[in-house]
Amino acid sequence: MIFVDMAGRKVPALGYGTWAMNGSTCERAVPMAIELGYRHIDTAQVYENEAEVGRGWVASGIPRNELFITTKIARTGNAAAQVAAGLEHSLEKLRTDYVDLLLIHWPSPSVPVAETLDAMARLKSAGKIRALGVSNFTVAHMREAVEGLKRVVVCNQIEYHLLLAQRAVIGYARKHGVAITAYCPIARGKLMGNPVVERAAKKHSRTANQICLRWLLEQPGTLAIPKAASEIHARENISIFDFALDAEDRRGLDALPGDTRLVSPAWAPKWDAA
């Protein structure tokens, strides 16, 4: 496993994403992933699967302190009172008395980011979260939080893959010591069949998805949270730590067009240039 430093804590760079997994599928998948070696589990209030994640990790039998669990504040819950109440519900569902990382899922056009971060900081002081971060924040949003408000933001979770370069926000994050967690890291399968990716896959006797994930995790301060409901795909995703890309691979992969965004709902901020 590769680890990324977040405020002095070593976090597994490959996490297990649970977006769009619900009910018994999620409840079975979480202990399966843990048995395969995943120790970083990502969920969110809006996914409506925190209870299944909670039952799943408990069923695995692994001690809580061996897991890194992330959840995210619902888009409509950024006000201070909502942050506190929402986390209490999350902790109950997740069957834990703390989460390792709490993220603002989306920047709010109506609630000042200072209000949300202050509420999160109080929860951190109370021991209910170990670290706080953001998701879907642009450079402008990050600048406000990190430079304007002087808050310790350990992570920005963003859409990031070989088809979306994200140079501006990643450049800012690296300059200020903020980790990047990539969601949609394999571009929802759109890179399968890509000649550049497939060439590297054939060279290393790997799959296209494994090349995509390895490309991300070889970058400094970068994590990825692919979703895989089936054991075969979860095993495929975690089997990337016994090979490395070479300079030729990276030149080809880095040159792929990086302007394809897959996630941009109506409430999204004005994105930075790809």
Side-chain angles (χ1 to χ4, degrees):
M1 180 61 70
I2 295 170
F3 294 87
V4 171
D5 182 86
M6 282 192 191
R9 183 166 181 188
K10 290 175 63 178
V11 181
L14 185 71
Y16 187 70
T18 64
W19 173 77
M21 284 202 298
N22 299 94
S24 59
T25 297
C26 184
E27 194 168 337
R28 288 193 302 266
V30 169
M32 173 271 293
I34 291 171
E35 185 176 357
L36 289 175
Y38 290 87
R39 294 295 181 268
H40 172 182
I41 310 295
D42 182 272
T43 184
Q45 293 170 358
V46 74
Y47 297 172
E48 297 185 344
N49 65 5
E50 289 175 314
E52 289 93 332
V53 170
R55 289 193 293 270
W57 83 257
V58 170
S60 77
I62 196 167
R64 172 66 181 89
N65 62 5
E66 293 185 18
L67 290 174
F68 187 93
I69 298 177
T70 299
T71 195
K72 312 176 196 75
I73 299 166
R75 179 175 60 87
T76 55
N78 285 4
Q82 295 172 311
V83 171
L87 182 65
E88 289 301 325
H89 288 303
S90 292
L91 295 177
E92 182 179 357
K93 292 174 184 177
L94 289 166
R95 301 192 177 196
T96 180
D97 55 5
Y98 70 96
V99 293
D100 298 276
L101 179 62
L102 181 66
L103 305 179
I104 300 174
H105 204 157
W106 291 91
S108 172
S110 58
V111 179
V113 67
E115 178 179 341
T116 311
L117 290 172
D118 283 349
M120 294 166 74
R122 288 192 290 273
L123 293 169
K124 184 175 184 293
S125 295
K128 295 187 176 184
I129 66 176
R130 297 289 170 85
L132 56 92
V134 298
S135 181
N136 297 300
F137 267 41
T138 64
V139 171
H141 291 115
M142 291 185 69
R143 184 176 291 118
E144 179 183 2
V146 174
E147 296 181 68
L149 299 171
K150 308 295 184 185
R151 299 299 191 270
V152 179
V153 174
V154 303
C155 173
N156 187 8
Q157 187 178 121
I158 58 172
E159 180 184 347
Y160 182 37
H161 45 72
L162 274 165
L163 297 179
L164 185 64
Q166 293 278 35
R167 292 186 184 90
V169 70
I170 290 172
Y172 183 90
R174 287 179 180 162
K175 180 179 179 182
H176 293 274
V178 178
I180 289 290
T181 298
Y183 71 76
C184 293
I186 57 178
R188 296 181 175 172
K190 293 185 180 298
L191 285 153
M192 294 180 68
N194 179 285
V196 176
V197 177
E198 295 291 354
R199 188 182 310 121
K202 182 177 180 181
K203 177 180 178 178
H204 294 284
S205 299
R206 301 288 163 159
T207 66
N209 289 347
Q210 288 174 320
I211 296 298
C212 295
L213 292 172
R214 186 72 202 189
W215 177 80
L216 285 166
L217 299 194
E218 288 185 4
Q219 299 175 38
T222 304
L223 307 91
I225 49 169
K227 182 190 79 170
S230 71
E231 181 176 349
I232 189 169
H233 287 129
R235 188 183 299 277
E236 173 190 358
N237 291 343
I238 203 171
S239 300
I240 59 170
F241 299 107
D242 58 351
F243 81 103
L245 301 174
D246 59 32
E248 180 186 30
D249 300 326
R250 298 197 68 86
R251 278 194 299 272
L253 296 168
D254 292 348
L256 288 173
D259 56 1
T260 300
R261 187 179 290 278
L262 305 175
V263 179
S264 192
W267 57 81
K270 182 179 179 181
W271 300 116
D272 301 304

